[in-house]
Amino acid sequence: MSMGCCSLWTIFTWIFWSFLIFLLILVIYDQLWCLSFGMTIPGPRQIPIFGNLIEVIRSGAYESELQNTKKYGRVYSVRAGGIYAINVSDLDLLKKIFVKNFNNFSDRHGIEGSEPWPMNKSVLVLKGSDWTRVRKIMTPTFSSGKLKLMIPEINRCGVVLAKIFQKNAQSKSSVDLKQLCGGFTMDVIASTAFGIQTNSIENPDDPFVSLAQKVFCSDAFAKSGVVLSVLFPRLAPLMTKLGLGYWPNDSVQFFVSRTKEIIEDRKKGINSGRVDFIQLLLDAEEEMQEENKESGSHSSSKRLDMGEILGQAFLFFIAGYDTTATLLTFFLYVMAVHPEIQEKLTEELDSVLGKEEPNYDNIHELKYLEQVISETLRMYPPLLRMSRIPSETVIIDGYKFPKGVGVLYSIYQIHHDPEYYHDPEEFMPDRFTPEARANAHPLSFLSFGYGPRNCIGMRLALVEAKIAIVHILRSVKIVPCLETEIPLKVNLNGSIIRPFKPIKVGVELRQ
Ligand code: HEM
């Protein structure tokens, strides 16, 4: 009996010491890893393995950005587990990073291997020459000529959306803005990217909608695999393979197989006359082949391979759904709480458009609408923070940016900085008159990023949002209701802005 007790104790002691030695090796490795970057920019004190992660979780990402900027200035170093970064909110320095030093900062900072195939082939994630090639092929698909061809589909979805608002006005029920606006952007992206007609606005159980929402509803940090990947980035490829990464496997699989079916159909000539992104990417592939034939070049490196086409299609869908729906949701919330702005807007719609259907040209004449949208994007930027990473160590304005250390910029923090916008918590569309913008720093508005790696879908998003707004505001008046939260509380901790509670408003029929 006592012999058994003794050996159990020995095993326990062995496990205890082995664990302690393992921890010690991990801490030494971690500290050597940190030292290897030769970081010279000061920042909050870091603890081994976690860096500043615990502080960020405790106070929230935005609060800790504010505190750190106050203490260390507009350039400071910070670390979340195995992600080492320099946070920059100095606009002149950011401009040098985005534009003058673009060749060294063309890539985004991310955890290597955390994106499953084919998302790792999307232009959002690609690096170096692969990014340059794919972005070059994709750029013409967002030209004004191509966008004009998509207007009838966007109008069709806008009319359906406005009808639902009218129905809610008739039944005097409140509107869950994100649900309806998300249905609209989903229908637009399903049609303009995939050539599929969905009715997500009226049918939230459509697999396109439910699987897309799953991508955005998954709380990344609730997933053990994501936490492990942040703490130990080398584990990320394994976590992704095990399905424990950020992207839900079933959503990715659904979109891959659906897109493959569509591509097969198009190659057989079914529906190939459509103007959607898939067709434009397939055409781009053929044009490139033709070009190579004419020039006698056999290079296939210029074209998109199947993985890349699937990657862009999946990204269009992710990028096109949530961001624009978020913009519309906050815009309509602003309408409810600022009736004077809504009044001025409807006057502009009446005087500029009358009863005309919105199109690519006439929506550009709605100058006040443009200002209100920009102020909504300033106040509530859909993407809160973004990044770059230098391919080589470089010194700019006396700051050393080591290779492998990311550069973080907080869009929300810059948009709410009293040095760049007076009374930043006040909603003032006049900040975006052409005269006011001429006097402002060009980088004080970063909702779509800046420089050659900015948002490729900006024009599509703005056209889509404007058309939806015209249809809605012509049909109904947005008013506050008992469920409208004033002031609105938003979660600023992730990379996407989120209201804590669904945003709800009332609607009344227009005369
Ligand atoms: C209101 C709506 C939108 C907002 C606020 C938004 C915002 C952004 C931001 C901040 C970036 C990063 C820019 C940077 O790093 O400097 C980005 C990149 C990107 N966005 Fe958007 N976006 C929106 C809509 C769209 C739409 C509708 C699409 C396409 C269907 C799209 C496609 C992309 C792509 C492909 C990139 C990566 C570009 C690259 O790395 O070359 N976005 N977006």
Side-chain angles (χ1 to χ4, degrees):
M1 179 83 175
S2 73
M3 276 293 281
C5 243
C6 213
S7 59
L8 213 67
W9 178 246
T10 317
I11 293 170
F12 176 76
T13 318
W14 264 103
I15 293 176
F16 176 77
W17 282 109
S18 308
F19 178 70
L20 223 60
I21 290 168
F22 171 72
L23 210 63
L24 191 71
I25 293 172
L26 206 63
V27 169
I28 293 172
Y29 175 80
D30 180 80
Q31 293 303 292
L32 289 175
W33 175 79
C34 272
L35 284 174
S36 72
F37 292 109
M39 175 66 79
T40 52
I41 295 174
R45 222 169 70 86
Q46 300 166 2
I47 57 170
I49 319 268
F50 293 94
N52 306 106
L53 192 61
I54 294 170
E55 172 209 322
V56 171
I57 292 172
R58 202 173 41 213
S59 342
Y62 178 52
E63 197 49 44
S64 71
E65 277 162 2
L66 288 182
Q67 294 309 325
N68 288 333
T69 308
K70 216 179 196 177
K71 211 161 165 190
Y72 303 99
R74 293 194 174 279
V75 185
Y76 63 85
S77 59
V78 66
R79 194 189 143 194
I83 304 173
Y84 211 172
I86 297 170
N87 189 305
V88 180
S89 56
D90 175 318
L91 301 186
D92 290 327
L93 182 59
L94 269 182
K95 194 170 176 190
K96 287 180 188 160
I97 291 169
F98 287 147
V99 185
K100 202 171 159 199
N101 291 270
F102 179 73
N103 285 344
N104 197 33
F105 285 94
S106 64
D107 298 335
R108 253 179 223 114
H109 188 30
I111 304 177
E112 211 69 50
S114 62
E115 313 287 347
W117 184 89
M119 193 56 195
N120 60 352
K121 298 269 191 173
S122 77
V123 74
L124 188 77
V125 179
L126 284 176
K127 293 191 168 178
S129 56
D130 279 333
W131 171 78
T132 314
R133 176 178 52 85
V134 174
R135 173 100 186 196
K136 201 169 149 204
I137 295 174
M138 279 177 67
T139 301
T141 61
F142 288 90
S143 69
S144 51
K146 300 277 162 52
L147 290 183
K148 275 182 189 175
L149 298 172
M150 292 172 185
I151 299 286
E153 274 303 297
I154 303 179
N155 263 321
R156 183 186 62 79
C157 300
V159 169
V160 176
L161 178 66
K163 280 202 178 121
I164 307 281
F165 272 85
Q166 280 173 330
K167 263 193 203 162
N168 279 273
Q170 276 154 353
S171 62
K172 298 197 181 339
S173 29
S174 64
V175 172
D176 180 332
L177 288 176
K178 185 65 188 286
Q179 196 196 332
L180 282 194
C181 298
F184 164 76
T185 55
M186 179 65 68
D187 286 346
V188 170
I189 209 70
S191 163
T192 54
F194 297 86
I196 296 174
Q197 273 207 13
T198 51
N199 187 1
S200 318
I201 306 178
E202 287 171 301
N203 177 17
D205 295 330
D206 188 300
F208 250 88
V209 190
S210 49
L211 287 164
Q213 278 169 349
K214 213 170 151 193
V215 173
F216 297 100
C217 291
S218 68
D219 178 3
F221 271 92
K223 291 187 172 181
S224 51
V226 177
V227 177
L228 274 176
S229 301
V230 170
L231 288 176
F232 309 105
R234 277 168 199 265
L235 291 181
L238 178 68
M239 295 300 131
T240 307
K241 267 205 184 106
L242 294 175
L244 297 171
Y246 182 81
W247 306 93
N249 265 356
D250 48 353
S251 296
V252 177
Q253 287 320 317
F254 172 79
F255 286 100
V256 167
S257 57
R258 199 71 193 84
T259 313
K260 272 185 175 166
E261 281 167 23
I262 295 167
I263 292 175
E264 285 312 313
D265 282 353
R266 298 293 169 86
K267 287 192 169 167
K268 284 182 207 148
I270 303 170
N271 245 341
S272 56
R274 288 199 61 99
V275 191
D276 51 48
F277 288 122
I278 299 258
Q279 192 59 45
L280 294 171
L281 290 177
L282 290 172
D283 292 348
E285 188 191 15
E286 273 173 22
E287 277 163 28
M288 287 287 176
Q289 273 171 332
E290 284 300 314
E291 226 174 77
N292 286 350
K293 235 189 262 167
E294 275 166 28
S295 64
S297 141
H298 297 291
S299 146
S300 61
S301 63
K302 279 170 93 187
R303 295 188 281 125
L304 297 183
D305 60 31
M306 178 56 97
E308 286 169 344
I309 294 181
L310 292 172
Q312 310 326 311
F314 188 54
L315 172 65
F316 284 162
F317 150 76
I318 302 284
Y321 160 65
D322 197 67
T323 47
T324 315
T326 302
L327 162 61
L328 278 170
T329 299
F330 284 102
F331 179 95
L332 294 169
Y333 172 80
V334 167
M335 293 299 100
V337 294
H338 291 284
E340 71 295 350
I341 295 178
Q342 187 175 182
E343 204 51 47
K344 198 168 160 185
L345 265 177
T346 47
E347 278 167 24
E348 182 182 64
L349 295 189
D350 287 346
S351 67
V352 177
L353 295 190
K355 291 202 180 336
E356 252 177 66
E357 184 164 78
N359 60 44
Y360 190 82
D361 299 310
N362 65 14
I363 50 170
H364 286 108
E365 290 163 32
L366 300 165
K367 301 292 176 208
Y368 188 60
L369 175 60
E370 181 89 41
Q371 282 174 227
V372 183
I373 288 180
S374 298
E375 177 66 346
T376 307
L377 285 167
R378 178 198 69 82
M379 192 95 165
Y380 307 107
L383 296 183
L384 295 168
R385 29 189 83 77
M386 270 285 158
S387 68
R388 295 285 186 275
I389 193 163
S391 44
E392 290 304 330
T393 299
V394 64
I395 295 177
I396 309 173
D397 290 352
Y399 295 107
K400 179 178 165 192
F401 291 91
K403 178 181 173 176
V405 173
V407 173
L408 263 186
Y409 67 101
S410 167
I411 302 173
Y412 190 91
Q413 187 194 352
I414 291 168
H415 285 188
H416 287 254
D417 190 322
E419 221 172 272
Y420 305 138
Y421 292 99
H422 66 91
D423 296 330
E425 302 315 318
E426 293 297 314
F427 192 88
M428 293 193 253
D430 283 352
R431 301 180 201 273
F432 289 92
T433 59
E435 305 75 53
R437 277 320 286 168
N439 292 323
H441 196 296
L443 273 86
S444 57
F445 182 73
L446 284 172
S447 282
F448 294 102
Y450 197 84
R453 194 137 195 189
N454 69 349
C455 174
I456 202 170
M458 176 175 82
R459 282 197 296 178
L460 170 65
L462 292 175
V463 164
E464 201 183 323
K466 284 178 187 175
I467 290 182
I469 291 166
V470 170
H471 285 293
I472 295 168
L473 292 189
R474 266 180 180 173
S475 316
V476 293
K477 185 174 172 185
I478 311 289
V479 292
C481 67
L482 286 174
E483 295 151 277
T484 311
E485 191 185 20
I486 307 172
L488 187 62
K489 292 189 196 76
V490 283
N491 185 343
L492 304 170
N493 291 330
S495 50
I496 303 172
I497 197 166
R498 291 266 171 262
F500 282 105
K501 286 193 239 156
I503 302 183
K504 295 200 176 172
V505 295
V507 271
E508 291 170 2
L509 281 180
R510 275 207 189 275
Q511 299 306 320

